[in-house]
């Protein structure tokens, strides 16, 4: 498999980043969904949010790298059997997924740093607060984070459904290309 994309298929870098982001987003959503109901005395009360924040910061870096890679690499483009509506819908869905991911990550960062404290990323390094203490920021950012993450899950499900539609109904190479075939 080639490193970079070609006119026919995606390369190993684009494919790896796509699936890594997908797995991390699913994991972060599951962890976030589970940890909001933890009681103060639960063993994971502090550990869950620490992992969630750390992985979220690392995801931010991965998404920056993914965007840079997309700018530097060739886009295989749509298959010839894709309609204009499918192409436009796919482009809009991808753009909205990227936007929502950054909204979720930035709002998560703002929740965690609204009191002026830094985020420790697995103890490797700290990401400082850029806002300092801002009264009410945590609640506003929390609402944005909540709704943006649910929007990501719904849009990602639609994205996956479209890929399966292309694979099972249209019987084209759309899904296989994201596996390097």
């Amino acid at each position: 498999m080639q490193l970079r994309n070609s006119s026919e298929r995606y390369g190993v870098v684009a494919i790896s980043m796509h699936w890594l982001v997908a797995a991390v987003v699913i994991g972060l959503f599951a962890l976030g969904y589970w940890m909001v109901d933890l009681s103060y005395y639960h063993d994971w009360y502090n550990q869950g949010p620490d992992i969630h924040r750390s992985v979220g910061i690392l995801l931010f870096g991965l998404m920056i790298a993914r965007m840079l890679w997309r700018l530097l690499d060739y886009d295989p483009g749509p298959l010839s059997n894709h309609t204009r509506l499918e192409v436009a819908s796919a482009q809009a869905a991808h753009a909205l997924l990227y936007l929502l991911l950054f909204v979720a990550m930035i709002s998560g960062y703002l929740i965690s740093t609204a009191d002026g404290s830094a985020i420790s990323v697995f103890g490797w390094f700290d990401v400082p607060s850029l806002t300092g203490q801002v009264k009410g920021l945590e609640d506003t950012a929390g609402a944005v984070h909540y709704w943006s993450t649910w929007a990501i899950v719904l849009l990602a499900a639609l994205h996956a459904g479209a890929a399966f539609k292309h694979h099972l109904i249209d019987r084209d190479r759309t899904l296989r290309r994201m596996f390097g075939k």
Side-chain angles (χ1 to χ4, degrees), residues 38-138:
L38 295 178
S39 72
Y40 179 79
Y41 298 103
H42 195 282
D43 292 342
W44 278 78
Y45 181 78
N46 289 314
Q47 191 173 6
D50 287 345
I51 292 170
H52 189 85
R53 285 186 289 264
S54 293
V55 173
I57 294 290
L58 296 176
L59 177 62
F60 185 82
L62 177 60
M63 285 300 298
I64 295 295
R66 187 172 182 198
M67 288 182 65
L68 290 173
W69 185 257
R70 282 187 69 145
L71 290 173
L72 299 173
D73 202 12
Y74 182 81
D75 183 11
L79 297 175
S80 60
N81 67 312
H82 293 176
T83 67
R84 281 185 174 174
L85 179 60
E86 287 173 325
V87 172
S89 298
Q91 290 171 342
H94 283 113
L96 189 53
L97 273 170
Y98 273 71
L99 176 66
L100 287 168
L101 282 167
F102 280 104
V103 166
M105 291 181 289
I106 291 168
S107 61
Y109 165 81
L110 292 173
I111 294 167
S112 299
T113 61
D115 63 355
S117 62
I119 298 173
S120 174
V121 179
F122 295 116
W124 303 335
F125 60 92
D126 289 345
V127 178
S129 173
L130 296 176
T131 60
Q133 292 183 349
V134 178
K135 190 173 179 98
L137 178 60
E138 186 175 7

